[in-house]
């Protein structure tokens, strides 16, 4: 009798333990691994290489990696700073943005917010959204673009450029102004209306026909001009 009671007690404990394990498995199974980051790192400063060649440097407050997602991405929701290099490790440009997403399979960056690029020949490019296609070695935007050059300021909508920012095209130019005639605006005044300008800068490349771009991301495709940089206003 004692043996029977002993084995009955062991069976009850085993059944209770099995029930607890089953409940734990159900709870874990409810999580969608594709929606969870596989890595999260804070206060990142790192170099990114391709085929043994250093391409750029990243600094960011927080970096999320989603390797298990249907479209693997890196996300930088709190801003990012990039420094790009040529094969001789000379700095080509520096880029800052309020947030960024990198699509690993297509090697495409999408920079959002106040995107600020300092390029060669003392040029500066400001836009609310910019795409950097590393596979095609080009930059492009469908949004407002503001370009500061030593001799003039160029503004318009739609932008295409090589990675070195030495040859670029503004698709719809709204104004070309001498730099000496402008000063930073405090945001309260709008610049005077200017007639449409159809000429391109002397460094601009002719616009090329290209197929519509598809970005595999749930974000809306239409241009986002809500964070367009402050324009300049005429002195006097």
């Amino acid at each position: 009798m004692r043996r029977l009671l002993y084995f009955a007690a062991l069976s009850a404990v085993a059944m209770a333990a099995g029930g607890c394990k089953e409940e734990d498995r159900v709870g874990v199974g409810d999580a969608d691994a594709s929606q969870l980051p596989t890595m999260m790192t804070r206060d990142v400063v790192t170099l990114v290489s391709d085929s043994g060649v250093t391409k750029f440097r990243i600094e960011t407050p927080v970096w999320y990696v989603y390797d298990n997602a249907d479209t693997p991405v890196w996300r930088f929701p709190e801003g990012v700073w990039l420094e790009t290099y040529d094969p001789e490790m000379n700095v080509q440009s520096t880029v800052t943005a309020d947030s960024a997403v990198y699509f690993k399979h297509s090697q495409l960056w999408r920079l959002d917010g106040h995107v600020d690029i300092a390029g060669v020949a003392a040029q500066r490019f400001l836009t609310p959204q910019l795409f950097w296609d590393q596979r095609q070695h080009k930059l492009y935007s469908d949004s407002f673009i503001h370009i500061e050059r030593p001799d003039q300021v160029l503004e318009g909508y739609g932008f295409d450029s090589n990675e070195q920012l030495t040859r670029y095209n503004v698709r719809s130019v709204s104004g070309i102004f001498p730099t000496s005639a402008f000063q930073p605006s405090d945001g309260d005044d709008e610049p005077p209306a200017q007639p449409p300008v159809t000429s391109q800068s002397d460094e601009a490349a002719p616009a090329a026909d290209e197929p519509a771009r598809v970005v595999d991301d749930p974000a809306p495709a239409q241009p986002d001009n809500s964070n367009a940089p402050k324009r300049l206003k005429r002195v006097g």
Side-chain angles (χ1 to χ4, degrees), residues 72 130 146 208 212:
L130 183 76
H146 170 99

Side-chain angles (χ1 to χ4, degrees), residues 21 24 120 160 163 172:
K21 290 182 178 179
D24 290 342
V120 298
D160 300 275
E163 281 185 323
S172 179

Side-chain angles (χ1 to χ4, degrees), residues 64-235:
Y64 291 96
V65 175
Y66 292 82
D67 281 335
N68 294 329
D70 294 336
T71 302
V73 296
W74 300 346
R75 293 190 180 275
F76 306 87
E78 298 181 18
V80 67
W81 180 89
L82 301 172
E83 187 174 66
T84 67
Y85 306 106
D86 64 14
E88 286 73 37
M89 286 298 293
N90 297 313
V91 177
Q92 287 184 326
S93 62
T94 59
V95 183
T96 60
D98 290 344
S99 64
V101 180
Y102 176 67
F103 303 88
K104 293 181 64 177
H105 287 171
S106 57
Q107 298 181 26
L108 177 69
W109 283 88
R110 189 189 72 200
L111 304 164
D112 294 294
H114 296 86
V115 183
D116 189 335
I117 309 172
V120 298
Q123 297 185 102
R124 187 181 180 195
F125 301 79
L126 304 173
T127 182
Q129 185 177 72
L130 183 76
F131 293 89
W132 174 20
D133 190 332
Q134 292 183 280
R135 187 172 293 171
Q136 299 295 326
H137 303 289
K138 64 181 181 180
L139 305 171
Y140 61 88
S141 175
D142 297 322
S143 303
F144 172 79
I145 183 74
H146 170 99
I147 303 173
E148 297 178 6
R149 299 174 50 172
D151 59 335
Q152 63 184 11
V153 172
L154 174 64
E155 292 185 344
Y157 290 84
F159 171 77
D160 300 275
S161 173
N162 61 357
E163 281 185 323
Q164 295 75 29
L165 295 167
T166 55
R167 292 181 61 81
Y168 53 82
N169 175 61
V170 177
R171 299 182 213 138
S172 179
V173 179
S174 59
I176 301 177
F177 317 107
T179 302
S180 60
F182 288 82
Q183 67 181 14
S185 171
D186 57 9
D188 296 330
D189 300 324
E190 289 293 329
Q194 299 290 336
V197 179
T198 57
S199 62
Q200 298 179 352
S201 67
D202 54 359
E203 294 185 9
D209 295 333
E210 57 184 86
R213 305 181 180 91
V214 177
V215 178
D216 190 8
D217 188 65
Q222 66 269 21
D224 176 14
N225 295 318
S226 60
N227 293 318
K230 293 182 179 179
R231 302 191 180 203
L232 304 181
K233 65 180 180 180
R234 190 180 299 277
V235 176

